[in-house]
Amino acid sequence: MVELWSLGFVFLAGLITAFATGLGALPFFFVSEISDRWNVALWGIASGIMLSASVFGLVLEALGEYVHVSLGGVALDPVPQRQLLLLGLGLAAGVALVYVAHDVIEAAEVDPQQYAEADFKKLVLILGVLTVHSFPEGVAVGVSFADLGIEGGTQIFGFVVPLLAIFMTVAISIHNVPEGVAISIPLRSMGVPNWKLVWWSVFSSLPQPIGAVIAFYFVRVAREFLPAGFGFAAGAMIYLVLTEFIPEAREVGKSLPGEGRRELIGGLVAGIAVMVPLAFI
């Protein structure tokens, strides 16, 4: 039985990541637009954060006690085949979800203007598209809370919270900021008011707390499948980075010197440099 308080705690963590998307709209209260150079760098930072969270957070956690991290590097003991199989199946399922989501999003052809002029039917369509797009991030948050309330974490408001959960919540929140920027740019060009930019940015990530609760519930009632849960979240996020974030950055950077490669690589390095130390605290 999963306690109601734990579901509420995980939902709140997912809600924090959704609210973080709204931060991407705040710059438009002070400037009319964000330069392509900064946009590419932000996508690079988000990519570095997601890759770090996936590899050094979720994948290493899936391998559990078979991974030994020290100043000298990472050592890996022989891992049981079942655990590797679950991890591999999870990775493949995560990639498959994002692949299918790509087809759904492209088939839906949601115009950003619908955000500002949406009737009920359009809202249902938009929410459906956003669900398949942002659900993997929510799953990542949810599975990272698998050990919530179990000894070995850190105390927050009287609850024992796993360090991995803190790491993933911070990582997804930071990653959501450039997504908020990307959502706000076309809306701003259409004359959508600033406060609506914040609302639609947050709205785009509302599936995340829902995905977090669903994933958390699953790994709590079926803990033997926890490696698959970690793999699913990692596979989805890595595939998102490779098929959405980096291509988006390269598209935006076409007008920059060197097609924005310096800004993209710099952002990637910065994102990894910020998140990797947190993974080994």
Side-chain angles (χ1 to χ4, degrees):
M1 182 67 180
V2 179
E3 303 90 341
L4 188 60
W5 69 265
S6 61
L7 294 175
F9 196 95
V10 173
F11 183 85
L12 179 61
L15 203 57
I16 289 172
T17 66
F19 283 142
T21 315
L23 297 177
L26 295 184
F28 293 96
F29 282 81
F30 309 101
V31 298
S32 58
E33 62 180 20
I34 294 179
S35 69
D36 288 345
R37 187 180 300 275
W38 271 107
N39 216 350
V40 172
L42 285 172
W43 279 114
I45 291 171
S47 299
I49 287 169
M50 294 288 273
L51 290 174
S52 301
S54 299
V55 176
F56 299 108
L58 295 168
V59 172
L60 290 187
E61 189 69 21
L63 298 176
E65 69 272 19
Y66 302 99
V67 177
H68 307 283
V69 181
S70 65
L71 293 177
V74 178
L76 183 65
D77 292 338
V79 183
Q81 287 188 347
R82 182 179 183 278
Q83 194 155 344
L84 286 175
L85 178 62
L86 286 173
L87 175 60
L89 289 174
L91 286 165
V95 170
L97 172 70
V98 178
Y99 181 81
V100 172
H102 270 268
D103 290 342
V104 172
I105 292 171
E106 290 176 3
E109 295 182 349
V110 176
D111 189 321
Q113 191 168 2
Q114 291 178 325
Y115 280 19
E117 303 172 356
D119 58 22
F120 180 74
K121 288 184 179 179
K122 288 178 181 177
L123 279 176
V124 172
L125 172 61
I126 293 169
L127 185 57
V129 172
L130 293 175
T131 297
V132 295
H133 181 269
S134 65
F135 191 78
E137 289 98 325
V139 169
V141 173
V143 297
S144 69
F145 275 89
D147 290 334
L148 179 64
I150 299 175
E151 187 177 354
T154 186
Q155 289 277 343
I156 297 180
F157 301 124
F159 301 109
V160 180
V161 181
L163 291 176
L164 176 64
I166 299 172
F167 173 68
M168 290 304 303
T169 302
V170 171
I172 299 300
S173 295
I174 297 174
H175 139 268
N176 278 352
V177 175
E179 285 214 343
V181 173
I183 290 166
S184 298
I185 288 173
L187 295 178
R188 181 58 182 267
S189 67
M190 297 169 191
V192 175
N194 289 336
W195 67 271
K196 281 193 174 182
L197 297 182
V198 176
W199 157 247
W200 286 117
S201 295
V202 173
F203 179 77
S204 73
S205 293
L206 285 182
Q208 289 180 10
I210 299 171
V213 169
I214 293 173
F216 172 73
Y217 184 85
F218 174 79
V219 296
R220 285 294 280 244
V221 300
R223 288 188 66 84
E224 66 270 20
F225 294 107
L226 189 55
F230 285 128
F232 178 87
M237 292 202 298
I238 291 171
Y239 195 70
L240 273 172
V241 169
L242 297 179
T243 61
E244 288 193 24
F245 296 177
I246 292 179
E248 176 72 19
R250 296 189 65 182
E251 181 67 26
V252 174
K254 282 183 177 179
S255 61
L256 300 175
E259 297 187 342
R261 292 188 186 89
R262 183 176 60 182
E263 289 79 6
L264 175 58
I265 294 172
L268 277 166
V269 172
I272 293 172
V274 168
M275 298 311 296
V276 168
L278 296 180
F280 297 117
I281 291 177

